């Protein structure tokens, strides 16, 4: 027996829209549970869908009209391309004229999953999806509800993160409501996201292939299949930054309302400077939050007990756990009303590379101590 329920929410941002939240158990649903969101996709309307990475704001990827609504709802810059989500290899063949041999191994290993590949696009991909560029970013999500929605709709679905542009990505349906209530007709609540950070984006057209955005598939995992794969490092005046082929390269991302201050390097070296900075902020009557990732090496002083809002985000030794809760931590501290959020950086091994990529983009100030 499937489990699906609906809730309606009044409009908060766009006159005339009532946002319906459709709760679906990803382990226990039937195709008819998705009748309403499927009908919206076919009508070239927007649908928020759960994925294993973050929630996505989806529309028919083959329709210029539908995908243009994504940019409007998110306040997304018009030169920031979209990732296209597919449910089959037949969809992939329609979207690209060429699947390089060197990518077949990683597709068979990591699809469905949190890996996006940059392909040469075919003629059916609209200008709005790629922002006029000759490549298209494609992935096959692993979330059963997302796969079912795409398959039942009969079209690939373009879907960036379902948040207002620049805000932390949503990993729960409640996060989507904070940003898009009244801007979309339907949010499918499929539970919390498994990875908590966006997909890894790989450009297989470069030689050697290059990670443009770290994410749910780690660099270490990719090197098992592509030993010479490199990491893209932006440079001043870089054409890839000026005309990004994929999200996450050009614009401010992942930022809460509060100011974010990052301390990275060796915890024992930055512990006291960070405490001093926190005390200075508290003395200025600012509400201060801390995302705590080093419970073993950084013990918080007793005077912080009543004056600091702490979000314990696991431990550096478990970077996957830190990644899973990062965006939730930023949003929760915002909801707590803090003015400033301090973040303890972690090592860049495994999922730590994606964590540091996101938090460096969110931070207004960064202090490094070794």
């Amino acid at each position: 027996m499937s489990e699906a329920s609906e809730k309606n929410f009044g409009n908060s941002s766009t006159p005339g829209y009532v946002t319906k939240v459709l709760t679906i158990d990803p382990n226990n649903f039937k195709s008819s549970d998705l009748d309403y969101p499927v009908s919206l996709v076919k009508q070239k309307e927007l649908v928020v869908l759960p994925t294993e990475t973050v929630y996505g704001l989806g529309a028919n990827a083959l329709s210029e009209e539908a995908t243009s609504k994504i940019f409007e709802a998110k306040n997304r810059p018009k030169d920031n391309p979209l990732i296209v989500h597919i449910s089959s290899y037949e969809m992939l063949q329609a979207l690209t004229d060429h699947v390089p041999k060197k990518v077949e191994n990683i597709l068979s290993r990591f699809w469905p999953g949190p890996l996006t590949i940059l392909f040469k696009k075919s003629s059916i991909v609209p200008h709005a999806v790629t922002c006029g560029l000759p490549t298209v970013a494609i992935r096959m999500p692993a979330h059963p509800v997302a796969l079912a929605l795409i398959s039942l709709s009969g079209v690939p679905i373009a879907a960036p993160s379902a948040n207002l542009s620049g805000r932390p990505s949503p990993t729960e349906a409640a996060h989507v409501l904070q940003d898009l209530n009244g801007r979309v007709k339907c949010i499918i609540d499929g539970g919390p996201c498994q990875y908590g950070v966006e997909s890894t984006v790989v450009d297989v057209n470069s030689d050697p292939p290059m990670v443009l955005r770290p994410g749910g598939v780690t660099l270490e995992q990719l090197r098992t299949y592509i030993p010479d794969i490199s990491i893209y490092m932006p440079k001043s005046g870089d054409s890839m930054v000026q005309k990004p082929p994929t999200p996450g390269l050009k614009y401010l991302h992942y930022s809460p309302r509060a100011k974010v201050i990052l301390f990275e390097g060796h915890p024992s070296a930055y512990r006291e400077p960070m405490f001093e900075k926190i005390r200075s902020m508290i003395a200025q009557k600012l509400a201060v939050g801390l995302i705590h990732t080093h419970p073993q090496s950084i013990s918080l002083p007793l005077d912080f007990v009543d004056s600091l809002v702490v979000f314990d985000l696991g431990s550096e030794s478990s970077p996957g756990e830190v990644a899973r809760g990062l965006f939730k931590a930023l949003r929760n501290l915002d909801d707590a009303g803090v003015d400033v959020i301090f973040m303890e950086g972690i090592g860049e091994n495994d999922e730590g590379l994606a964590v540091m990529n996101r938090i460096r983009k969110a931070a207004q100030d960064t202090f490094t101590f070794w």
Side-chain angles (χ1 to χ4, degrees), residues 19-20 71 133 179 198 216 251 255 283 331 366 368:
T19 296
K20 177 183 289 186
F71 292 88
L133 295 172
D179 285 7
E198 297 85 352
Y251 292 98
S255 297
R331 285 182 174 269
T366 299
T368 304

Side-chain angles (χ1 to χ4, degrees), residues 307-319:
S307 56
L308 187 65
V309 182
V310 179
F311 193 105
D312 287 307
L313 198 56
S315 168
E316 179 184 37
S317 61
S318 301

Side-chain angles (χ1 to χ4, degrees), residues 14-211:
T14 304
Y17 277 76
V18 174
T19 296
K20 177 183 289 186
V21 177
L22 181 64
T23 301
I24 293 182
D25 181 350
N27 299 310
N28 184 21
F29 72 97
K30 59 184 186 292
S31 297
S32 59
D33 294 334
L34 291 170
D35 283 351
Y36 178 58
V38 166
S39 72
L40 290 177
V41 174
K42 291 181 176 181
Q43 294 165 27
K44 301 180 182 179
E45 297 291 347
L46 302 178
V47 173
V48 173
L49 61 151
T51 80
E52 74 279 18
T53 57
V54 299
Y55 274 76
L57 177 60
N60 178 350
L62 303 184
S63 166
E64 191 96 23
E65 176 188 346
T67 53
S68 67
K69 294 177 181 179
I70 293 174
F71 292 88
E72 182 180 355
K74 277 178 61 77
N75 295 329
R76 185 180 179 88
K78 297 289 187 181
D79 62 347
N80 199 6
L82 304 175
I83 292 176
V84 177
H85 296 67
I86 62 174
S87 61
S88 69
Y89 283 92
E90 288 74 21
M91 283 187 179
L92 173 64
Q93 296 293 342
L95 293 168
T96 179
D97 296 324
H98 177 57
V99 178
K101 271 283 187 187
K102 59 187 172 185
V103 81
E104 291 177 359
N105 279 347
I106 59 173
L107 293 187
S108 63
R109 168 62 180 85
F110 297 111
W111 274 14
L115 177 67
T116 295
I117 302 294
L118 205 62
F119 293 98
K120 298 290 186 183
K121 79 179 187 73
S122 71
S123 59
I124 70 169
V125 181
H127 179 282
V129 170
T130 65
C131 302
L133 295 172
T135 53
V136 58
I138 303 173
R139 89 174 184 99
M140 187 185 293
H143 198 289
V145 175
L147 286 172
L149 177 69
I150 299 164
S151 178
L152 292 167
S153 299
V155 291
I157 290 180
S161 56
N163 56 308
L164 291 175
S165 189
R167 293 271 292 145
S169 298
T171 57
E172 299 176 3
H175 301 160
V176 181
L177 274 171
Q178 288 178 336
D179 285 7
L180 300 182
N181 186 15
R183 292 175 178 258
V184 296
K185 291 184 177 180
C186 180
I187 297 170
I188 305 172
D189 182 353
C193 299
Q194 176 184 352
Y195 288 91
V197 292
E198 297 85 352
S199 61
T200 302
V201 179
V202 175
D203 182 2
V204 295
N205 304 295
S206 64
D207 189 17
M210 185 183 300
V211 173

